[in-house]
Amino acid sequence: MDKFSLFLADYKGLIPDFNGYLQGLKRPLPLYYRINTLKIGTEEAKSLLRSEGIWFEETCFEELVLVKNHDPPPSPVLSYHLGYIYPQALSSCLPVKALDPKPHERLLDLCAAPGGKATHLAQTMKDMGLIVANDRKLGRITALMANIKRMGITNTVVTQARGEHFTWGHKFDKVIVDAPCSGIGRYRMDETGHIRHMKPGKTDLPAIQKGLITKGFDLLRSGGIMVYSTCTLNVEENEEVVHYLLQKRRAKLTPWDPPVPWSPGITRFKEKEYDKGVGLARRFYPHKIHSVGFFLARVVKA
Amino acid sequence: MPELLRPEDRLGLLAFLKDRFGMAPSSFEAYHIYAFKRQAFLFRRQPGKIDFPKSSFVRCGLPFMRLVAGYLKPTTVFLQRFGHLAWKNILHLDKAQIGRLCLEGEIDLGLESIDAQEIETPGYIIIKTGEYILGAGLILDNSRILCRFPKAMRQALVHINDL
Ligand SMILES: C[S@@+](CC[C@H](N)C(=O)[O-])C[C@H]1O[C@@H](n2cnc3c(N)ncnc32)[C@H](O)[C@@H]1O
């Protein structure tokens, strides 16, 4: 059995409306555009998108639209190159909403490239305060810098370091650890039943994720908030990583009411039982939110 | 590592923007200007001093101007974000002209059209189409317009008139 078949067998009883999930895998990933309110008003951007042949639907987030053209949609060349839009999944907006950054705050995005969340943070903060956007890989940092430029952002410092070794002169009010992951939330099935978007790799992701979540937490000031997120759906890269942090540090999860359907974090899986607090994490299934499957935990430093 | 511009250099840059585009220097009070690798960067002013970490620093803020051989070249990304503060040396082009400018790299608009838009030559200009600021251009020999958009944008806009 391949890895994904094993995943399906293990999670059959845990994923709500499992048949709906399987059916959803056959539909293409929906395309969303986030409007960059640093450069343009939402209404103005929407009318430009319409004039570029994009049909869209509003979403629960004012700055995000769901593209309705049948694929492939026309390319909104002006909107894109003038930095008015950023193609971004609805799920990818969730960490920024959960973090609720304020204009004067100092933020760290530990795994930032290519910058979907960092640039969303910047617009939410009205390009004020400070964002440190870090990533390990130079190639991806090039894309991050291009996006920061295209979106016209001035409040961001870009750094290149392994997150586990990241240092800075002060602690941060808020931290995002949008960790590298196996990406099961992005999986889609083609006509032949073959899974697309599957990442190869033998890396021990949970070990990396545990290092990153702990470092992210250590870089928080007391009372600060961290969001840990992935676009994968297995317990080993999600609840187990959060459980590890709760064991190692004086961390607490705080509840958050997302504006889209969610399920609570899993506290019991096979023979393992996790800290009850892990139940305050949020799981987002692709067929329920019409986007990439996602996991998010909002952690506060006591 | 980036260096905060000395006050007189900062004033020089802001005076250039005022002189060329009519942008008020006070509009930039909320920003530091750093020099790094022969470019100036606009970086949101911070309450305390920032010690950028030497080992991991890549960049701070938005590329603002290139400092090349005594010339100041405003970047397209700066003008897209802050160009609304300008009131002069703004050249309006229609989509067909933008397409040609991007394809050929330069176009000659003729003196009449440049005069009608009250563009001072030679020097940098802000290129607009309709209500949208596209970015930087350069005017030479009274009526030659040179494209100064980033390469990917220039390539994408070649067919703007057909979209
Ligand atoms: C899920 S992606 C981040 C997406 C990004 N937050 C966004 O919204 O556009 C994970 C990122 O983690 C980076 N990464 C992998 N290992 C890392 C490490 N040890 N430290 C820091 N970044 C790492 C990868 O290069 C990748 O860009």
Side-chain angles (χ1 to χ4, degrees):
Chain A
M1 255 215 251
D2 65 49
K3 264 192 188 165
F4 189 54
S5 306
L6 287 173
F7 168 82
L8 292 178
D10 282 346
Y11 288 80
K12 197 171 176 188
L14 289 168
I15 296 180
D17 178 19
F18 188 69
N19 268 334
Y21 171 70
L22 292 178
Q23 288 309 310
L25 292 178
K26 295 180 188 151
R27 289 190 289 269
L29 272 176
L31 174 65
Y32 291 86
Y33 288 134
R34 169 167 56 83
I35 294 165
N36 178 16
T37 49
L38 289 179
K39 279 190 165 181
I40 192 166
T42 44
E43 288 315 313
E44 219 185 327
K46 286 174 188 174
S47 86
L48 177 59
L49 279 173
R50 280 188 207 102
S51 77
E52 293 187 283
I54 305 294
W55 314 328
F56 54 82
E57 232 172 51
E58 310 277 333
T59 67
C60 57
F61 303 128
E62 202 197 342
E63 69 273 36
L64 193 77
V65 296
L66 167 61
V67 176
K68 298 300 282 185
N69 301 63
H70 295 296
D71 59 345
S75 165
V77 166
L78 261 193
S79 298
Y80 182 83
H81 285 281
L82 301 195
Y84 295 162
I85 56 166
Y86 190 108
Q88 183 169 16
L90 179 139
S91 341
S92 263
C93 297
L94 295 168
V96 174
K97 299 293 172 183
L99 208 56
D100 189 23
K102 301 287 185 267
H104 57 275
E105 288 177 329
R106 301 193 288 196
L107 269 77
L108 168 65
D109 186 345
L110 200 55
C111 309
K117 289 158 201 91
T119 57
H120 196 189
L121 288 172
Q123 81 177 63
T124 310
M125 295 161 78
K126 301 189 164 49
D127 196 26
M128 292 191 237
L130 173 71
I131 299 172
V132 179
N134 175 71
D135 203 275
R136 178 186 176 171
K137 296 190 188 131
L138 191 59
R140 290 181 65 93
I141 282 184
T142 307
L144 169 67
M145 290 195 295
N147 281 321
I148 290 172
K149 282 201 295 192
R150 191 171 62 80
M151 306 307 264
I153 291 164
T154 69
N155 73 343
T156 300
V157 179
V158 176
T159 58
Q160 185 196 0
R162 283 191 62 177
E164 300 88 326
H165 300 156
F166 179 86
T167 56
W168 193 262
H170 59 69
K171 302 257 169 156
F172 293 89
D173 298 307
K174 289 177 179 167
V175 173
I176 286 197
V177 178
D178 187 37
C181 70
S182 56
I184 293 175
R186 313 184 66 86
Y187 283 12
R188 284 298 190 264
M189 216 179 262
D190 65 17
E191 313 78 47
T192 64
H194 185 75
I195 293 294
R196 296 168 54 207
H197 305 300
M198 199 184 287
K199 289 189 201 168
K202 302 186 192 86
T203 331
D204 182 359
L205 287 165
I208 295 171
Q209 291 153 345
K210 285 172 187 166
L212 291 170
I213 198 174
T214 311
K215 187 65 181 190
F217 184 80
D218 291 344
L219 289 160
L220 265 185
R221 68 162 167 83
S222 66
I225 294 176
M226 169 172 76
V227 165
Y228 172 80
S229 58
T230 70
C231 61
T232 202
L233 296 171
N234 62 45
V235 166
E236 294 79 4
E237 297 181 60
N238 293 319
E239 284 86 349
E240 205 161 304
V241 175
V242 176
H243 172 83
Y244 173 86
L245 177 73
L246 297 184
Q247 301 299 298
K248 294 281 174 195
R249 297 287 189 273
R250 284 163 56 91
K252 264 172 72 175
L253 261 68
T254 60
W256 176 57
D257 263 331
V260 291
W262 55 274
S263 303
I266 294 168
T267 50
R268 193 184 280 203
F269 183 69
K270 295 189 173 169
E271 72 286 4
K272 286 190 184 159
E273 204 154 318
Y274 302 115
D275 188 300
K276 282 215 165 48
V278 169
L280 291 175
R282 305 299 184 224
R283 293 186 147 250
F284 302 92
Y285 292 105
H287 58 303
K288 295 282 179 193
I289 61 168
H290 198 40
S291 187
V292 171
F294 212 72
F295 173 89
L296 184 160
R298 195 166 175 261
V299 180
V300 65
K301 189 167 191 170
Chain B
M1 293 301 287
E3 279 189 24
L4 203 55
L5 277 200
R6 288 176 306 173
E8 58 270 33
D9 294 336
R10 176 186 170 96
L11 283 178
L13 258 59
L14 296 183
F16 164 77
L17 290 178
K18 178 159 174 33
D19 182 54
R20 185 69 197 159
F21 300 118
M23 294 178 176
S26 59
S27 308
F28 298 96
E29 251 152 44
Y31 302 91
H32 290 303
I33 303 175
Y34 277 94
F36 184 53
K37 296 186 178 166
R38 287 205 285 169
Q39 257 197 88
F41 289 82
L42 210 53
F43 180 51
R44 173 60 73 167
R45 198 177 277 278
Q46 301 294 320
K49 187 173 174 282
I50 293 206
D51 289 319
F52 298 112
K54 260 206 185 100
S55 59
S56 61
F57 179 85
V58 178
R59 159 175 299 182
C60 65
L62 185 70
F64 175 37
M65 278 193 238
R66 281 179 199 283
L67 318 164
V68 183
Y71 287 98
L72 296 176
K73 299 169 137 191
T75 64
T76 278
V77 287
F78 162 68
L79 292 176
Q80 284 183 353
R81 172 84 197 277
F82 293 92
H84 64 277
L85 301 169
W87 56 267
K88 59 178 182 170
N89 289 314
I90 302 170
L91 182 72
H92 292 261
L93 298 179
D94 61 30
K95 286 190 175 172
Q97 290 169 321
I98 298 286
R100 261 200 310 127
L101 176 68
C102 289
L103 180 69
E104 288 160 23
E106 71 171 81
I107 49 174
D108 199 319
L109 286 187
L111 266 185
E112 226 169 89
S113 134
I114 296 298
D115 283 348
Q117 297 204 40
E118 295 180 13
I119 306 290
E120 300 160 327
T121 74
Y124 281 94
I125 50 172
I126 295 174
I127 297 180
K128 265 184 121 171
T129 190
E131 68 216 86
Y132 306 111
I133 295 175
L134 299 187
L138 179 64
I139 182 162
L140 293 178
D141 306 333
N142 298 320
S143 59
R144 275 172 63 210
I145 309 296
L146 276 59
C147 183
R148 286 291 175 263
F149 304 158
K151 201 168 152 202
M153 173 175 164
R154 192 178 140 187
Q155 283 168 350
L157 292 190
V158 164
H159 300 294
I160 186 178
N161 201 33
D162 314 331
L163 298 172

